Amino acid sequence: MPSVVPPGEGTTDNMAAGTDWPGFGYAALVAAGGLLGYVKAGSVPSLAAGLLFGTAAGIGAYQITQNPKNVWLSLVVSGTLTGIMGMRFYNSRKFMPAGLVAGLSILMVGRLGVKMMGKPHES
């Protein structure tokens, strides 16, 4: 006998309502930046780092979509990129790409910090 799931409790409804769109967008931009660095400058390290961090950020966004309290992977990825790209921007003074990624990363860190400090959800 098939089980009946009450409305609003299925994974599709929860995912649509709580999808971490900013997190997925950030992940896509990081991955696209690595790809762009490879295409424009032939930088294999840029491609590898962009795809690695973009994938990790995407997994983090998926985790937040499944459980809004599970921010740790996203926080580690955005915090690491804030540090790395912030130092590159500080040393080079070039906004693209280091300043842009550092700025977006620090915004993600702030957003995740606010999410962590928000009201606790009842389970």
Side-chain angles (χ1 to χ4, degrees):
M1 180 172 198
S3 64
V4 177
V5 177
E9 291 188 22
T11 55
T12 305
D13 291 338
N14 286 344
M15 189 167 173
T19 303
D20 184 22
W21 291 117
F24 284 116
Y26 173 74
L29 285 172
V30 169
L35 185 61
L36 188 62
Y38 176 74
V39 169
K40 287 184 82 174
S43 173
V44 174
S46 177
L47 176 65
L51 293 178
L52 175 72
F53 280 102
T55 299
I59 293 168
Y62 176 77
Q63 289 177 338
I64 291 172
T65 297
Q66 296 301 308
N67 177 4
K69 296 178 188 178
N70 193 2
V71 300
W72 296 108
L73 180 59
S74 290
L75 192 59
V76 167
V77 170
S78 57
T80 301
L81 281 176
T82 297
I84 292 170
M85 297 307 267
M87 287 301 294
R88 287 186 64 190
F89 175 64
Y90 179 79
N91 291 329
S92 72
R93 298 286 189 235
K94 292 182 182 178
F95 182 72
M96 288 298 286
L100 178 64
V101 174
L104 290 173
S105 297
I106 203 161
L107 288 174
M108 282 297 292
V109 168
R111 174 182 170 266
L112 294 167
V114 167
K115 190 178 270 293
M116 288 175 62
M117 298 299 168
K119 294 181 185 175
H121 298 286
E122 293 189 28
S123 12

